[in-house]
Amino acid sequence: MVGLVDGIDVASGGELRVAMDAGADPLHVSFAGPGKSAAELAQAQAAGVLVNVESLRELDLLARASEATGTPSRVALRVNLPFELKASGMKMSGGARQFGIDAEEVPAALRAIAAAGLAFEGFHMFAGSQNLRAAAIVEAQARSYELALGWSELLPAPLRSLNLGGGFGIPYAPGEAGLDLAPVADNLAGLAARLERDAPDAHLVVELGRYL
């Protein structure tokens, strides 16, 4: 997979080791998932990968690891979105979830990143997975974009990465139709063009997951 995609997302220290052993560039590796251990966060900081931070606890642990090595950890905020991805097989936003920092707590988290001297890069916005409705994915990505850009004035550093998550489903059951990618691609092209104007140093990220 390392030779076929633009980046790798991992969800444990073990997966991070596999990705690094496979030759993945740390600049294009992200580490997501709730409940990362102190050892895993120290491992991610030492490797120089982007950590999608899911709690203020993780920020504190990354700050300690960064202080110990003298190199600020690369971080993005995983946001618990205030809406759900409609018709999603697994919802990862809307109401109390184990994933991410609640949207209303993002300003405080951005201040904490600045105070700790961490290297802020962007946001991770993931509404849900296994969706076969293009319109739902388009809506979730558009709403995620607007939400993230609404925090522009609060950022401790220029936005570099806006991860709009995934949700790209595949048909498992009889009678299910495959995802129509054309409207999703058209919407992403429009968002990418907007991002060039709104945040010239930033790029969009989408996670294709099981679709790959």
Side-chain angles (χ1 to χ4, degrees):
M1 297 306 296
V2 166
L4 298 173
V5 297
D6 297 315
I8 297 289
D9 185 62
V10 302
S12 70
E15 288 185 4
L16 176 56
R17 285 192 295 273
V18 170
M20 301 300 286
D21 289 346
D25 183 345
L27 288 177
H28 303 296
V29 174
S30 58
F31 189 166
K36 304 179 192 71
S37 69
E40 286 176 319
L41 290 168
Q43 176 188 356
Q45 187 278 330
V49 304
L50 179 65
V51 179
N52 290 321
V53 172
E54 312 242 358
S55 67
L56 295 178
R57 164 192 166 273
E58 289 186 4
L59 281 178
D60 182 57
L61 291 171
L62 286 171
R64 296 182 195 180
S66 299
E67 185 176 0
T69 64
T71 303
S73 179
R74 299 169 56 215
V75 298
L77 282 184
R78 168 75 178 268
V79 181
N80 177 22
L81 303 175
F83 57 85
E84 293 182 346
L85 177 53
K86 298 173 184 175
S88 175
M90 181 180 180
K91 296 177 174 61
M92 298 181 177
S93 63
R97 300 284 177 190
Q98 69 269 40
F99 300 102
I101 294 172
D102 291 348
E104 59 268 25
E105 296 179 358
V106 166
L110 291 172
R111 290 193 295 271
I113 288 172
L118 300 176
F120 172 81
E121 295 194 10
F123 296 104
H124 184 206
M125 324 282 275
F126 204 128
S129 66
Q130 183 49 24
N131 200 300
L132 295 171
R133 291 184 54 224
I137 293 175
V138 166
E139 179 185 349
Q141 290 178 340
R143 293 179 69 179
S144 294
Y145 182 96
E146 298 297 342
L147 186 63
L149 269 292
W151 291 310
S152 294
E153 300 300 319
L154 305 176
L155 304 184
L159 185 70
R160 296 184 57 188
S161 174
L162 178 52
N163 186 333
L164 295 177
F168 293 56
I170 59 174
Y172 283 119
E176 287 184 336
L179 175 65
D180 181 6
L181 282 182
V184 179
D186 289 343
N187 179 63
L188 284 171
L191 292 179
R194 285 184 59 187
L195 193 64
E196 286 187 7
R197 300 188 297 271
D198 294 336
D201 295 328
H203 63 273
L204 292 180
V205 177
V206 289
E207 297 180 15
L208 298 178
R210 77 188 72 210
Y211 193 86
L212 290 172

